[in-house]
Amino acid sequence: MSEPVIASMAEVRSHLADVLDRARRDETPTIITRRGKEEAVVIDIDEYRRLSSLAEEAEDAWLNRLADEAETEGLEGSVSLEEMAAILRAHHA
């Protein structure tokens, strides 16, 4: 991906076809500004899908790691069903 081009909303409005061609053909994003503030980015659809997929995979990995940590914490100090039955039998004997 090339360095992004920074363009005002008015410039993008006047040259939208060029902005889209640049994103698709040259893989160059355009950062759109409004009143000097960065507001949005135009990128190629394939790049958008790739980035969305990466973000989803990262979120899934993070959630799985949290679940694994919670499961590990839940197992510390716990006993199996068989161990609990033996404890209860010993207590009632």
Side-chain angles (χ1 to χ4, degrees), residues 2 21 44 62 70 79:
S2 302
D21 287 343
D44 176 64
W62 177 71
V79 294

Side-chain angles (χ1 to χ4, degrees), residues 16-67:
L16 183 57
D18 294 334
V19 169
L20 295 176
D21 287 343
R22 186 170 45 234
R24 183 181 43 80
R25 184 186 60 237
D26 302 334
E27 298 181 356
T28 301
T30 300
I31 297 173
I32 303 170
T33 62
R34 185 174 11 191
R35 296 183 192 98
K37 181 181 174 198
E38 295 177 344
E39 294 282 333
V41 178
V42 176
I43 58 173
D44 176 64
I45 189 67
D46 291 333
E47 181 66 3
Y48 168 77
R49 289 181 179 132
R50 186 183 76 79
L51 293 172
S52 293
S53 178
L54 286 173
E56 188 174 312
E57 289 170 13
E59 183 178 22
D60 287 347
W62 177 71
L63 290 172
N64 286 332
R65 191 170 54 253
L66 285 179

